[in-house]
Amino acid sequence: MNNVENAVERHYWRAVTFLVILILAGAGFWGVRRFAPAVFLGKPDLIAVPNDENSQNRTTKQAVANKPVLLNVNTASVEELQTLPNIGESTAQRIVDYRTQHGNFTSVDALQNVRGIGAKTLEKLRPFVDAK
């Protein structure tokens, strides 16, 4: 009986050790994801930033100096377009193909002419893009 008890106790401590290691690894992953998000976002220079024109605490001069640069849909590459919300590789390629076949977009609203971009997607893209 003593051998059986020792075997059970050994397996018990192995399971406890495994669970502790698993919890610590998960906590470490969570910490990196929470406090260093750039590790999971890819190239930081290709992350789109929304345009916040409705800030009431800024003066006009500060707003112009701090205004994020919008992604120009007439010059953006497929990789740059993929950084936009709800735009995958195939939709980005369709935007570039449409631009090549029909010329530059005259406005952001013209993106609705691209297959796969509807009114809802356009509203999600509007703060990030420009057609100038």
Side-chain angles (χ1 to χ4, degrees):
M1 200 65 177
N2 198 7
N3 287 337
V4 173
E5 289 175 1
N6 286 339
V8 170
E9 188 175 349
R10 268 193 317 240
H11 289 297
Y12 171 79
W13 285 111
R14 286 181 183 167
V16 168
T17 304
F18 174 75
L19 290 174
V20 167
I21 291 171
L22 193 63
I23 290 168
L24 290 174
F29 177 78
W30 177 84
V32 168
R33 186 168 169 252
R34 173 82 167 101
F35 298 109
V39 172
F40 294 92
L41 293 176
K43 296 181 180 179
D45 57 331
L46 292 179
I47 298 171
V49 179
N51 181 10
D52 183 20
E53 293 182 22
N54 298 332
S55 178
Q56 298 177 3
N57 295 335
R58 296 181 184 171
T59 64
T60 306
K61 186 175 181 180
Q62 288 174 328
V64 171
N66 295 332
K67 184 176 179 181
V69 177
L70 299 177
L71 186 62
N72 188 335
V73 293
N74 291 322
T75 60
S77 67
V78 172
E79 292 81 18
E80 291 171 328
L81 289 168
Q82 288 180 40
T83 64
L84 297 170
N86 295 356
I87 301 296
E89 183 178 349
S90 59
T91 306
Q93 187 60 53
R94 283 196 298 265
I95 292 171
V96 171
D97 292 344
Y98 183 90
R99 185 176 67 204
T100 304
Q101 293 172 359
H102 301 283
N104 285 346
F105 295 99
T106 55
S107 69
V108 175
D109 293 328
L111 282 171
Q112 284 186 306
N113 297 334
V114 177
R115 186 173 52 87
I117 299 180
K120 289 182 180 179
T121 303
L122 182 64
E123 289 309 310
K124 291 177 184 176
L125 295 176
R126 196 176 298 282
F128 300 97
V129 296
D130 190 14
K132 292 180 183 177

